[in-house]
Amino acid sequence: MPNNAEIAKDTIEQFQKIQRFMAIAKKENATETYAELKSEYLSLKALLNVIGVNLIDIDTIKE
């Protein structure tokens, strides 16, 4: 079973990956893709908040 540090590391990596994809989707004006990614982004953001990760430096989307 993963510990909190492993969960935080994995979730941060997923969060950063989703943000990269969101930036690409926004640039390409892929609104449906962006909306789907945003849903995942918000879920990951909520999880990171619950486990106490400070998002100030890693949240580039800020939605």
Side-chain angles (χ1 to χ4, degrees):
M1 182 159 179
N3 62 34
N4 286 347
E6 291 169 336
I7 293 168
K9 179 184 180 291
D10 181 56
T11 307
I12 289 168
E13 288 171 354
Q14 290 177 44
F15 186 70
Q16 291 173 322
K17 182 178 178 180
I18 289 293
Q19 288 187 103
R20 286 192 305 271
F21 290 147
M22 286 176 75
I24 293 166
K26 191 170 193 172
K27 182 179 176 183
E28 294 177 346
N29 202 26
T31 55
E32 289 183 44
T33 301
Y34 187 88
E36 196 64 33
L37 290 166
K38 185 175 178 180
S39 175
E40 183 69 16
Y41 160 85
L42 292 172
S43 295
L44 290 169
K45 187 173 183 175
L47 177 58
L48 289 169
N49 277 318
V50 166
I51 61 177
V53 174
N54 184 344
L55 299 174
I56 292 172
D57 292 333
I58 65 169
D59 188 1
T60 59
I61 302 295
K62 309 234 188 287
E63 284 191 24

